[in-house]
Amino acid sequence: MTAGKKSPDPLWLFADQLGPHIHSAPEHADRQVLLVESTAALARRGGHRQKAHLVLSGMRHLAAELGDRAEFWQAEGYRDALEGLGRPVVVHEPTSRAASAFVHRLHDEGLVSEILPNPTFALSREDFTTWAGDGENFRMENFYRDQRRRFDILMDGLSPAGGKWNYDAQNRDSPPKTQKTLGVDPPWWPEEDQIDEEVRADLDALVADRPDVSFSGVDGPRQFAVTGDEAQKALRTFIDHRLATFGRWEDAIMGADWTMSHSLLSVPLNLSLLDPLDVVHAAESAARDGSVDLAAAEGFIRQILGWREFVWHLYWHFGADYTSNNTLDAHARIPDWFADLDADAVTSRCLSDALAGVRDRGWVHHIPRLMILGSHALQRGYDPAELTEWFRANFVDGFDWVMPVNVIGMSQHADGGRMATKPYTSGGAYINTMSDHCGDCEFDPKKRLGEKACPFTAGYWYFTHRHEDLLRHNHRTARSVATMNRLKDLDAVLEQERNRERF
């Protein structure tokens, strides 16, 4: 830096803005980096113990990595650190409305000198606004295809590679019937270090000292990347050893193999340790060089370039009142056993296993989220706003922007179809096909009435009856209504489900 030249304002990074493509971007090369641990934010947000660990570990590892370049503050609130710093900072637009409003207030007060665009997604918010126009009903497939064209991913000129946009039909295999695990190479696992030990001790002390601080779930070994180097290792391990088997079984569930071929990259992606375009380019390269088949790569790319980006942009586009949508008039409170992640209070194998996964690691993959946890909540009419907060709090990758569209729109159909064409729920037959849970479950997926009646099978008809008018007028669900009305034991099933206490 030229002698006498004023140093640029420090860059304040939130805990989900930790990647080298942010702090080491050319425009930030000469800046100090401010990282702030806020006790008030931890107390206010609560959530899963392992998510708190990941967030703190990520910030502390980055502070150690940056050395003298980092200003690392531990304070009650963010404002305390900014005032103590004694000079204004620049900041990238945060990923939640609450944090964005706070940053803009700080800007008005002079504590923030500049608010830069969020750099953690492929498509800018301005470009999405142009794409969306005045639209209110959105379909991810249309968005995804435009993303592929825009960023030239898996394209051969103007056509999709292989001649098809979507390989869903090749990515829906049931789990292998003769084995307990998929038998693929394991994912990359982190090795905890002294920073992790300090985080764990500090969280223990915080809970002991502050009655306003509590966490859900159990403490456990760190299972996700929290540094740029770790994230790259996790990505390369997935691309080189696991992507080839990802697509085929991406919708399957195996009780003894929670990772299967999944990437485990949602945490480092949502901490912004990876640039999403780097991730999809890596998957595309593997398909182009023949390391993996096109269906596997396309299925993974759709999750990143399609679904993840789509959810992010709709969080902003749908507005702050989106979580108040409740088209299905669902107002049941979440029961204590569900709220407390009490897997031992649950009889059905699939639901117990999903709750145990959330309790023990704050993560299950997308099918247990949608077709077990979400489907159960939909059938039982849990309040969608309360459920959204439950998912936000209890999943280690569940930041504010992630869950509203996933839960309100996709899982609970509470937005009346603004982003999904039908409610996503099923009877036990689907779970029996796509998992290995039903064989030794006390319930029978083929039974809808009696002591062994599957809560999902009977619950499906309970839900269909409750929303018969809505479902009859949807071409994707009209057949279910017709089938329900032919059930000779429907009244008995409905009475059973109204009084069900055992799940």
Side-chain angles (χ1 to χ4, degrees):
M1 184 175 297
T2 304
K5 183 178 179 180
K6 181 179 180 292
S7 62
D9 292 337
L11 173 66
W12 176 26
L13 293 177
F14 280 91
D16 59 353
Q17 299 174 340
L18 303 182
H21 61 293
I22 303 173
H23 60 71
S24 294
E27 63 269 27
H28 298 317
D30 295 328
R31 295 188 193 274
Q32 289 288 108
V33 170
L34 174 66
L35 295 159
V36 183
E37 275 187 20
S38 166
T39 305
L42 274 175
R44 182 174 63 254
R45 305 303 287 160
H48 204 287
R49 166 65 184 251
Q50 292 181 48
K51 177 157 65 174
H53 184 119
L54 290 165
V55 166
L56 297 189
S57 183
M59 286 196 292
R60 294 185 188 186
H61 274 96
L62 180 57
E65 176 186 330
L66 295 177
D68 292 341
R69 189 184 167 205
E71 287 266 2
F72 178 63
W73 286 67
Q74 293 173 306
E76 177 65 17
Y78 296 119
R79 185 185 295 275
D80 299 316
L82 293 171
E83 292 176 346
L85 188 66
R87 59 180 302 192
V89 297
V90 301
V91 64
H92 286 284
E93 186 78 47
T95 57
S96 75
R97 290 188 195 87
S100 178
F102 177 56
V103 162
H104 280 270
R105 289 196 300 272
L106 295 173
H107 181 263
D108 292 341
E109 298 169 19
L111 291 172
V112 168
S113 60
E114 186 178 8
I115 303 172
L116 305 170
N118 188 292
T120 60
F121 293 85
L123 186 68
S124 71
R125 286 175 58 188
E126 292 75 15
D127 285 341
F128 181 84
T129 299
T130 300
W131 177 87
D134 297 328
E136 278 301 314
N137 290 4
F138 296 97
R139 300 293 173 257
M140 194 279 283
E141 185 67 23
N142 298 333
F143 174 76
Y144 168 60
R145 293 183 184 190
D146 283 346
Q147 288 276 88
R148 291 263 299 274
R149 295 185 188 100
R150 180 188 295 265
F151 294 107
D152 193 26
I153 302 296
L154 286 183
M155 297 295 296
D156 291 334
L158 299 177
S159 300
K164 293 170 60 177
W165 290 103
N166 189 310
Y167 289 83
D168 264 356
Q170 293 172 235
N171 291 343
R172 292 174 177 165
D173 276 15
S174 302
K177 299 299 183 185
T178 59
Q179 56 199 68
K180 293 293 185 182
T181 69
L182 206 52
V184 301
D185 287 350
W188 172 88
W189 296 116
E191 293 184 10
E192 290 197 1
D193 56 17
Q194 184 176 349
I195 290 176
D196 289 300
E197 292 178 11
E198 291 170 355
V199 166
R200 183 164 287 112
D202 288 350
L203 288 172
D204 286 341
L206 186 64
V207 171
D209 295 343
R210 294 271 301 248
D212 60 329
V213 178
S214 64
F215 299 109
S216 61
V218 299
D219 186 20
R222 178 164 67 84
Q223 305 197 72
F224 299 91
V226 296
T227 74
D229 285 346
E230 287 185 344
Q232 288 297 324
K233 291 175 183 176
L235 173 61
R236 285 310 333 163
T237 298
F238 172 67
I239 297 295
D240 294 344
H241 303 288
R242 296 165 59 77
L243 176 59
T245 50
F246 165 76
R248 182 179 175 187
W249 288 292
E250 67 175 295
D251 286 358
I253 307 169
M254 302 184 80
D257 189 359
W258 66 270
T259 65
M260 298 187 68
S261 289
H262 291 277
S263 70
L264 306 191
L265 294 176
S266 60
V267 168
L269 274 166
N270 291 354
L271 293 176
S272 300
L273 293 164
L274 294 167
D275 184 318
L277 283 177
D278 289 346
V279 174
V280 299
H281 281 136
E284 180 184 30
S285 293
R288 295 288 190 187
D289 68 19
S291 301
V292 304
D293 64 38
L294 189 58
E298 188 278 319
F300 177 67
I301 287 170
R302 185 166 2 107
Q303 286 191 343
I304 307 302
L305 195 64
W307 190 252
R308 182 175 181 270
E309 296 263 326
F310 190 54
V311 164
W312 157 253
H313 287 293
L314 289 185
Y315 168 78
W316 296 99
H317 186 82
F318 281 157
D321 62 349
Y322 182 71
T323 53
S324 66
N325 280 286
N326 195 351
T327 296
L328 300 184
D329 198 28
H331 296 288
R333 297 300 307 274
I334 292 177
D336 289 345
W337 57 265
F338 195 95
D340 297 339
L341 311 180
D342 188 357
D344 297 330
V346 182
T347 300
S348 55
R349 277 286 314 282
C350 61
L351 189 53
S352 177
D353 189 71
L355 282 173
V358 181
R359 177 196 66 202
D360 295 343
R361 56 184 175 269
W363 192 93
V364 294
H365 74 73
H366 62 284
I367 295 300
R369 296 190 200 204
L370 178 65
M371 298 306 297
I372 295 178
L373 297 169
S375 179
H376 165 79
L378 180 65
Q379 291 179 358
R380 302 298 152 178
Y382 294 171
D383 181 275
E386 186 182 3
L387 187 70
T388 300
E389 174 56 20
W390 182 88
F391 272 95
R392 196 280 312 164
N394 289 300
F395 277 82
V396 291
D397 54 10
F399 295 92
D400 282 14
W401 64 270
V402 175
M403 291 307 177
V405 174
N406 273 304
V407 178
I408 297 292
M410 183 71 172
S411 173
Q412 302 303 293
H413 204 67
D415 67 356
R418 293 172 73 183
M419 60 74 58
T421 56
K422 69 165 188 171
Y424 278 84
T425 189
S426 73
Y430 172 87
I431 298 171
N432 191 30
T433 298
M434 296 307 298
S435 81
D436 58 5
H437 286 315
C438 298
D440 58 355
C441 181
E442 290 187 27
F443 298 115
D444 185 339
K446 296 187 176 81
K447 294 186 182 298
R448 61 177 175 264
L449 189 63
E451 189 68 20
K452 293 181 70 64
C454 171
F456 285 91
T457 300
Y460 180 79
W461 300 119
Y462 183 54
F463 169 81
T464 301
H465 183 268
R466 194 161 68 250
H467 300 292
E468 180 176 357
D469 289 343
L470 174 82
L471 300 175
R472 181 187 293 111
H473 293 97
N474 184 325
H475 74 279
R476 298 190 68 189
T477 55
R479 182 177 295 180
S480 295
V481 174
T483 301
M484 178 195 70
N485 286 325
R486 292 195 295 269
L487 299 179
K488 303 299 185 183
D489 54 5
L490 179 60
D491 289 343
V493 171
L494 297 177
E495 180 66 18
Q496 168 187 274
E497 296 311 299
R498 277 192 291 267
N499 296 292
R500 180 180 284 277
E501 295 181 351
R502 191 168 69 99
F503 292 95

